[in-house]
């Protein structure tokens, strides 16, 4: 799907081939890749190009991804949805130079609002590796709650890692104070 969202500070837009270089630069960082399940480390330009080739505009709404742009800077991260066994899953990452400014809270909030409006999904799933307190803080702030623990393969670590499973229901999201 070709969707563009504007937030107070950010532009969320479809990924394009020209994103390969900054994606490779920011994902080739263990502090980023090591917190993600499906990103190998080291991460090469060819990995970014291969992934971008899968980002077709004909993908269903449940597979929508956004490149996060900070005007004046360019691409700083990604947020996107994919289909899991239970239902839709949201995932995200931000290049390390941009951490700690509330950027991902802003990007995830806008993406969730769009997703709940664009789909009939009653719930969105996510989670964090057990040591990822910054990401857990984002999810807790936005209304996600823990549903249990599991283990998930972290490609960058080459190991199964304890995972805090979370979910956000449509009703909690729609009832939030903005
Ligand atoms: C996790 C990540 C997305 C955070 O992005 P960000 O833009 O820095 O996050 P924000 O600034 O919007 O919010 C981070 C929150 O975590 C809090 N936080 C940061 N470090 C923390 C820590 N060690 N313990 C507890 N809370 C922490 C911040 O205080 C902030 O909460 P606040 O706004 O209530 O103060 C970014 O660090 C990242 O991409 N990491 C690598 C990839 C990743 O972890 N992706 C998510 C996988 S589940």
């Amino acid at each position: 799907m070709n969707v563009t969202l504007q937030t107070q500070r950010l532009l969320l837009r479809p990924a394009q081939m020209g994103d390969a270089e900054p994606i490779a630069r920011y994902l080739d960082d263990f502090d980023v890749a090591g917190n993600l399940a499906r990103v190998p480390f080291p991460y090469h330009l060819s990995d970014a190009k291969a992934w971008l080739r899968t980002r077709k505009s004909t993908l269903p709404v449940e597979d929508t991804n956004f490149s996060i742009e900070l005007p004046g800077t360019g691409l700083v991260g990604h947020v996107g949805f994919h289909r899991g066994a239970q239902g839709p899953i949201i995932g995200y990452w931000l290049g390390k130079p941009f951490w700690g400014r509330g950027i991902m809270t802003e990007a995830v909030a806008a993406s969730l609002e769009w997703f709940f409006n664009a789909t009939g999904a009653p719930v969105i799933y996510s989670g964090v590796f057990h040591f990822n307190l910054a990401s857990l803080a984002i999810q807790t702030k936005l209304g996600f709650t823990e549903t249990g623990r599991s283990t998930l393969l972290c490609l960058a670590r080459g190991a199964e890692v304890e995972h805090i499973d979370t979910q956000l229901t449509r009703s909690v999201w729609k009832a939030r104070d903005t």
Side-chain angles (χ1 to χ4, degrees):
M1 260 191 92
N2 268 325
V3 189
T4 297
L5 307 176
Q6 181 85 55
T7 72
Q8 204 177 348
R9 291 178 293 175
L10 308 169
L11 180 71
L12 275 58
R13 56 150 181 85
Q16 56 201 34
M17 260 306 159
D19 293 340
E21 194 281 325
I23 289 175
R25 183 172 358 122
Y26 297 132
L27 283 183
D28 190 30
D29 176 343
F30 192 75
D31 290 342
V32 177
N35 281 296
L36 300 169
R38 305 184 301 171
V39 172
F41 183 82
Y43 189 91
H44 304 292
L45 187 61
S46 55
D47 294 315
K49 287 182 175 166
W51 180 75
L52 284 163
R53 276 194 287 274
T54 69
R55 300 289 87 206
K56 309 227 184 299
S57 59
T58 49
L59 285 172
V61 62
E62 293 84 2
D63 287 313
T64 300
N65 259 264
F66 297 104
S67 287
I68 305 170
E69 267 199 33
L70 192 58
T73 299
L75 184 146
V76 294
H78 249 271
V79 54
F81 300 88
H82 64 277
R83 285 169 288 179
Q86 291 178 288
I89 297 174
I90 185 168
Y92 45 86
W93 61 264
L94 188 67
K96 198 156 52 180
F98 312 102
W99 290 7
R101 302 189 213 167
I103 288 177
M104 196 49 83
T105 302
E106 191 171 318
V108 171
S111 304
L112 290 169
E113 178 64 9
W114 170 78
F115 192 84
F116 277 125
N117 289 336
T119 70
V123 58
I124 292 178
Y125 298 93
S126 194
V128 304
F129 288 135
H130 66 96
F131 40 70
N132 195 346
L133 300 180
S135 185
L136 189 61
I138 292 176
Q139 294 186 19
T140 304
K141 238 184 328 182
L142 294 176
F144 283 82
T145 51
E146 180 176 343
T147 56
R149 303 271 170 140
S150 58
T151 56
L152 195 59
L153 178 65
C154 172
L155 276 184
R157 295 173 189 274
E160 297 276 341
V161 178
E162 183 182 350
H163 189 255
I164 302 173
D165 305 319
T166 64
Q167 69 172 34
L168 172 68
T169 62
R170 171 183 290 272
S171 54
V172 166
W173 178 252
K174 290 298 175 188
R176 81 196 185 285
D177 290 332
T178 47

